[in-house]
Amino acid sequence: MATLFTSELEEGMVTLTDTYSNSGKLIVPKDTVLTKSIIQMLSGNDVVFVDISDIVEPIVESQENDLSSALDTEKIKEKPQYKKFVHRYEKSISEMGNHLNDIVYKNAPIDVDMMLQNTMTTMKALNDSPLSIFTMLSTMKNYDDSTFNHSLNVALICNIFADWLNLSEDDKKLITACGLFHDVGKLLIPDAILKKPGRLTKDEFDIIKTHPVKGYQLLQKNKLDPHIQYAALMHHEKCDGSGYPIGLKGNQIDWCAQIVTIADIYEAMTAKRVYRGPISPFKVINMFEEDGLKKYNPKYLLTFLEHVVNSYMNCKVRLSNGEEGDIVFINKVRLSKPMVKTKNNFIDLSKQTDINIDSIL
């Protein structure tokens, strides 16, 4: 670790901590690989010192350009770390699918430790990568919306979410397991309903709504940890009582289920579905901001949203007015409305409310 003057920074160095402007806005999140443009931005915002985790050789210009457009899908797919992650991800999906099918259709016992180890191995594939799990998952839009894919994605998000909440290692494993098994009841719902491309009828939706109870009963029969059972049963409950299947409120909802619910909804909305394409993360964050504090535990929701937004710092986006630019400031009061630097100017989305982020590039 070293604390350096901004004038001493070099391309390729990695930030140890989040770096904020004098007004309290996040400029560069921790674990960011510094490029020429990022260093200039730090200097332009009068940042005096930056904590650096490691001092490495400067990167060449072509690498700078590659990292500065971190969410350019085609560039990401060419990265060795992306290919490594996808290889491990696909293997995990296959192994998870086989095990869950055996549980549902062959009455096999549930091996929680094996499933957790599988998930953690997938997470470790990211350890040497500057790309976040959200970056990785946002580029994998060619995958279908099977229960297996969704469950692994939610488990990966829950694993990171646990770190953001400073949970113990035991609770981190528990929350990850809750994410893995929260939707197991959907394996007992006919595929014709789950994957129907059009609007569900009321009767079909009523069948879908039975999956929390079906999952709970399956996990209860296998004597899994009660929190894992409750995550399956309660992940569609809302703190204002508007959820299902019971209509629980506030602290009646298991704390693990409250965490899984947020990860579940975020993943489901930002992923591709048979009936729609993926929704921009910032549109989803805006939805959470609009009425989320009533429906979800603010302690968990606000932590989640702030960290998710920070993971997109310095990423390239397309705006609803057709312009493209990079996210350069995070607005802590309105997380879905950061400041974007376009080719010609800076656009503060919290003030120009008629413009939104349409997509991550």
Side-chain angles (χ1 to χ4, degrees), residues 5 21 50 56 80 97 152 197 256 286-287 291 303 319 331 341 354:
F5 286 106
S21 69
V50 178
V56 297
L152 177 58
C256 291
N286 183 61
M287 293 176 195
D291 64 353
T303 297
L319 302 177
N331 183 345
K341 182 182 182 299
D354 57 325

Side-chain angles (χ1 to χ4, degrees), residues 137-155:
L137 296 182
S138 71
T139 63
M140 299 167 68
K141 295 173 183 176
N142 57 314
Y143 289 88
D144 63 26
D145 61 341
S146 76
T147 298
F148 308 140
N149 292 83
H150 174 64
S151 296
L152 177 58
N153 293 352
V154 171

Side-chain angles (χ1 to χ4, degrees), residues 73-184:
T73 302
E74 295 309 314
K75 288 182 179 179
I76 288 175
K77 288 182 177 180
E78 292 303 313
K79 291 177 180 289
Q81 58 265 38
Y82 177 84
K83 295 178 180 179
K84 177 182 176 182
F85 175 77
V86 169
H87 174 74
R88 181 58 244 183
Y89 180 91
E90 291 175 340
K91 185 176 181 181
S92 292
I93 289 295
S94 176
E95 293 173 357
M96 174 188 290
N98 291 336
H99 186 54
L100 288 177
N101 278 329
D102 286 347
I103 292 167
V104 173
Y105 301 113
K106 297 181 180 179
N107 236 5
I110 297 177
D111 190 340
V112 177
D113 290 338
M114 182 276 285
M115 296 278 277
L116 276 174
Q117 181 58 43
N118 209 332
T119 305
M120 295 314 300
T121 302
T122 305
M123 283 296 303
K124 287 176 182 176
L126 282 172
N127 283 355
D128 60 351
S129 170
L131 304 174
S132 74
I133 185 66
F134 296 97
T135 303
M136 293 291 195
L137 296 182
S138 71
T139 63
M140 299 167 68
K141 295 173 183 176
N142 57 314
Y143 289 88
D144 63 26
D145 61 341
S146 76
T147 298
F148 308 140
N149 292 83
H150 174 64
S151 296
L152 177 58
N153 293 352
V154 171
L156 293 170
I157 292 172
C158 283
N159 187 269
I160 294 173
F161 199 172
D163 282 336
W164 295 343
L165 293 168
N166 296 314
L167 299 183
S168 68
E169 281 301 311
D170 286 343
D171 283 344
K172 182 177 179 178
K173 290 180 181 178
L174 175 61
I175 289 295
T176 304
C178 287
L180 280 169
F181 294 103
H182 80 286
D183 248 0
V184 69

Side-chain angles (χ1 to χ4, degrees), residues 333-349:
V333 177
R334 194 69 190 274
L335 293 168
S336 62
K337 302 288 186 179
M339 181 177 289
V340 176
K341 182 182 182 299
T342 65
K343 182 178 180 179
N344 299 315
N345 62 344
F346 289 85
I347 299 178
D348 186 344
L349 299 180

Side-chain angles (χ1 to χ4, degrees), residues 179-194:
L180 280 169
F181 294 103
H182 80 286
D183 248 0
V184 69
K186 280 190 176 176
L187 297 179
L188 299 167
I189 304 296
D191 270 356
I193 296 177
L194 278 181

